[in-house]
Amino acid sequence: MTSLTVDIPQAIKDSLKKFRFARRSAGHAALVIKINKAQLIMEEVEQFDDISVEDLAEELPENSPRYVVLSYEVSHSDGRKSFPLVLLNWAPTTSETGLLTLHASALLNFQNTAGVSKVIEMRDGPDGLTTEAIDSKLGSH
């Protein structure tokens, strides 16, 4: 069995770096990446600034996996705000099996390239992606 590797082009690495170091003062931001199955490369789909988690859920496809690097606004009890980066592994169960397999095989490489330590699995489609779900996974309720 041959192992397929998915290339992460320099343009994606540049976008990740720029996204990672962007200064944010409010709201959530997201960088959405997909795999081009025919060419075995990652492609940027879209970036969102100051988007709610629920609006982001509506923007993501219901039957196709995506990597979503999320800058997530967390309000602390002392009034401070922080914006940790989280990787949403958007992998709806309705996706094509071959694409899900390819997506899963490239996840660790993408996570390392993105420099994100926290991964949140999202398999339930838009209904499962809520502020409450992310808060509970981050332990920041």
Side-chain angles (χ1 to χ4, degrees):
M1 184 173 154
T2 57
S3 170
L4 299 174
T5 51
V6 178
D7 185 44
I8 303 175
Q10 189 59 46
I12 296 289
K13 293 176 183 175
D14 292 345
S15 281
L16 284 166
K17 187 174 186 177
K18 189 175 169 194
F19 184 83
R20 183 180 181 86
F21 292 109
R23 291 226 172 263
R24 295 193 171 80
S25 57
H28 312 304
L31 172 62
V32 182
I33 305 290
K34 72 174 184 174
I35 293 175
N36 177 324
K37 188 178 172 187
Q39 297 181 326
L40 292 179
I41 61 167
M42 293 190 189
E43 298 175 342
E44 182 175 329
V45 177
E46 199 163 356
Q47 283 196 41
F48 299 97
D49 273 313
D50 199 13
I51 187 169
S52 75
V53 172
E54 288 73 14
D55 285 346
L56 176 61
E58 293 304 315
E59 293 288 340
L60 295 170
E62 288 191 37
N63 53 10
S64 187
R66 297 287 187 265
Y67 302 117
V68 182
V69 181
L70 181 66
S71 172
Y72 189 74
E73 180 181 349
V74 176
S75 297
H76 299 275
S77 55
D78 62 3
R80 290 179 304 116
K81 288 184 180 185
S82 61
F83 298 87
L85 286 185
V86 179
L87 175 56
L88 299 181
N89 184 25
W90 180 261
T93 52
T94 53
S95 303
E96 177 198 329
T97 306
L99 200 50
L100 277 176
T101 304
L102 190 60
H103 183 84
S105 70
L107 175 64
L108 191 59
N109 185 26
F110 181 77
Q111 179 185 352
N112 291 337
T113 301
V116 179
S117 58
K118 181 72 177 172
V119 177
I120 298 177
E121 297 289 333
M122 286 287 158
R123 302 197 183 283
D124 301 331
D127 294 342
L129 181 52
T130 62
T131 302
E132 292 78 21
I134 293 182
D135 284 345
S136 71
K137 298 262 190 336
L138 290 178
S140 59
H141 25 246

